[in-house]
Amino acid sequence: MALRKHRIIIFLYLSGHTNYFCNNIRNTMKYFYLTAIPLLLLTACSTSGKEDREDTDSTIETRLPDMATQVTVATVERGNFYHELISNGKLAARNYADLYFQSAEPIEEIYVKNGDRVTKGQKLARLSTFRLTNQRKQTANALEQARLELQDLLIGQGFALEDSLKVPAATLELVRIKSGYNTSLAQYELAWHEERNSVLTAPFDGVVANLFAKPHNIASTAEVFCSLLDNQHLEASFTVLENELPLIRKGDQVEIKPFSMPDVVTSGRITEINPLVDENGMVRVKAEVRNNGKLYEGMNVRISIQRAVPGQLVVPKTAVVLRSGRPVVFTLLPDNKAGWVYVETGLENTDYYTITDGLKEGDVVIISGNINLAHEAPVEVIDN
């Protein structure tokens, strides 16, 4: 009986410790799952990513030297650099005239239409001359009557009309007024002038514009019958800033581009600089423009003023790229590789820079295909 009690006690003791050990093992495995397994997964991912990057980097490193970039090149030369100012302006014909009839008569005939080119003295239109001719004849008769009256008055003073040069000036003027000769002469000259100007002619070579009148209508002496403009000789009127005045002078070359036709380019020269600065600090300038047949009166244009600055190293703007905020030019090395050169730029215009440091005359620079180049990257030169 005593032996059985001891066995029961030992069994209970061992059972308690077994539960204790099992609980400890269970807790330990739970800790292992919560900590060790995520660490193993993180290590595996990190190792895998590193291997992928190393594989990619090695692929790039092995392929880049074999990939030659196609580029175009130009040789650096010392010469004239054209300093450029940009302004907006408007074209106007150098010769422009609004033509009027001087008598309110019916329009008999119109010989031209808008857009027609005419020469100096060419007939444009004609008025009905019946009333004008009749009026001229009446004034001619009145003038003859006044001349006879003048002769009578001179005879009364002891002079003949043929001796008018011998008549004292005061006496002759008195009898001319008293006889009505001066008034009749003025009326006759006016009638003759109106009849002669019943035919409208071109005062210079040009193109007809703004012609809207119709035949058989009364011509208005207060309204323009038509305009005549010489579009072969145009002027561009534009403004420059006060501080830009030292950069321009009469005779400087300009380039003209209409906003409506950006592909059309013509040239000209500055002919006039107004010696007055307005309230906005602007100065009015005019330039003579060569019309290539595509320019019209009133066109809005872009004016580029160019002035030559001699003895400059000039490169195209496309040759200059930025690296870390600094201008860089790639030169062509003897082994067909790109050479990285820091440069200092000076003047600039739309297409070119001047180089003040970093290059020398005769250097061959890369002007296209240089956006993503690196130092000593292989290149292949192609024709421009």
Side-chain angles (χ1 to χ4, degrees):
M1 188 69 181
L3 180 60
R4 182 178 294 179
K5 289 182 180 179
H6 286 295
R7 287 177 178 175
I8 293 171
I9 292 172
I10 292 171
F11 174 76
L12 291 175
Y13 175 80
L14 292 175
S15 298
H17 280 277
T18 300
N19 291 335
Y20 173 78
F21 289 139
C22 290
N23 289 334
N24 285 340
I25 291 172
R26 191 180 297 113
N27 290 334
T28 301
M29 293 301 292
K30 184 185 294 185
Y31 177 79
F32 174 79
Y33 289 139
L34 293 175
T35 59
I37 291 176
L39 287 175
L40 291 173
L41 291 174
L42 182 61
T43 302
C45 293
S46 174
T47 303
S48 175
K50 182 177 181 181
E51 290 175 353
D52 290 340
R53 284 196 302 272
E54 289 177 353
D55 182 62
T56 303
D57 292 343
S58 62
T59 302
I60 293 174
E61 289 175 358
T62 56
R63 288 181 181 178
L64 273 179
D66 297 331
M67 298 168 58
T69 303
Q70 291 186 337
V71 298
T72 57
V73 298
T75 302
V76 178
E77 297 179 352
R78 189 175 296 275
N80 289 337
F81 174 81
Y82 290 94
H83 193 77
E84 190 175 47
L85 296 177
I86 304 298
S87 183
N88 297 331
K90 188 179 287 290
L91 292 182
R94 188 192 305 174
N95 294 323
Y96 182 97
D98 290 328
L99 305 181
Y100 297 79
F101 277 115
Q102 299 183 14
S103 302
E105 300 293 333
I107 300 173
E108 188 77 17
E109 192 169 1
I110 298 176
Y111 303 107
V112 294
K113 59 183 180 298
N114 285 325
D116 284 354
R117 176 164 292 280
V118 297
T119 58
K120 182 178 181 180
Q122 182 175 333
K123 293 181 180 180
L124 306 179
R126 178 173 62 85
L127 297 177
S128 173
T129 59
F130 174 79
R131 193 185 67 82
L132 296 175
T133 301
N134 187 58
Q135 185 175 358
R136 178 184 58 79
K137 290 178 179 179
Q138 290 180 9
T139 57
N141 290 334
L143 178 62
E144 182 61 23
Q145 291 178 2
R147 191 184 70 80
L148 294 175
E149 183 67 22
L150 172 64
Q151 185 176 7
D152 290 342
L153 290 175
L154 286 176
I155 292 172
Q157 296 290 329
F159 300 99
L161 185 60
E162 294 78 7
D163 300 329
S164 58
L165 295 177
K166 300 178 181 179
V167 180
T171 301
L172 181 60
E173 184 63 24
L174 178 63
V175 296
R176 285 171 67 100
I177 294 174
K178 190 173 181 180
S179 63
Y181 182 83
N182 285 350
T183 301
S184 297
L185 179 62
Q187 290 175 348
Y188 172 78
E189 290 176 344
L190 177 61
W192 178 80
H193 176 78
E194 288 182 346
E195 184 182 16
R196 184 185 63 179
N197 284 280
S198 63
V199 177
L200 196 63
T201 59
F204 51 81
D205 295 351
V207 176
V208 177
N210 297 331
L211 174 56
F212 306 114
K214 302 293 183 182
H216 314 301
N217 291 280
I218 301 297
S220 173
T221 59
E223 296 181 0
V224 176
F225 174 77
C226 71
S227 299
L228 188 65
L229 54 96
D230 179 10
N231 63 358
Q232 293 298 308
H233 301 89
L234 297 174
E235 287 182 334
S237 180
F238 58 96
T239 57
V240 299
L241 292 172
E242 178 184 355
N243 58 7
E244 293 174 339
L245 277 177
L247 301 176
I248 65 171
R249 61 185 176 188
K250 289 178 65 175
D252 281 352
Q253 185 175 353
V254 299
E255 185 180 81
I256 312 294
K257 291 183 180 180
F259 286 109
S260 58
M261 296 182 290
D263 295 335
V264 175
V265 181
T266 188
S267 61
R269 292 193 177 277
I270 293 177
T271 57
E272 180 182 320
I273 300 176
N274 188 30
L276 177 68
V277 180
D278 65 18
E279 63 275 8
N280 298 317
M282 308 297 288
V283 177
R284 179 69 58 179
V285 181
K286 288 185 178 180
E288 180 185 27
V289 180
R290 297 185 183 91
N291 192 353
N292 53 11
K294 298 181 179 180
L295 303 180
Y296 295 91
E297 161 85 16
M299 266 188 168
N300 294 302
V301 293
R302 176 180 179 268
I303 296 101
S304 171
I305 308 168
Q306 297 180 344
R307 183 152 186 208
V309 182
Q312 303 294 313
L313 287 178
V314 181
V315 299
K317 276 191 169 181
T318 54
V320 181
V321 294
L322 292 179
R323 293 290 188 272
S324 301
R326 294 183 60 186
V328 169
V329 170
F330 288 96
T331 60
L332 183 65
L333 300 178
D335 52 355
N336 280 340
K337 291 185 178 180
W340 174 310
V341 178
Y342 284 112
V343 297
E344 296 292 335
T345 61
L347 301 173
E348 68 173 294
N349 57 27
T350 303
D351 301 312
Y352 296 95
Y353 282 119
T354 62
I355 302 299
T356 59
D357 187 36
L359 295 177
K360 62 181 183 299
E361 190 174 1
D363 285 345
V364 178
V365 297
I366 296 173
I367 61 175
S368 70
N370 54 353
I371 300 300
N372 296 315
L373 281 182
H375 183 58
E376 296 188 347
V379 294
E380 177 188 351
V381 178
I382 60 175
D383 294 334
N384 293 336

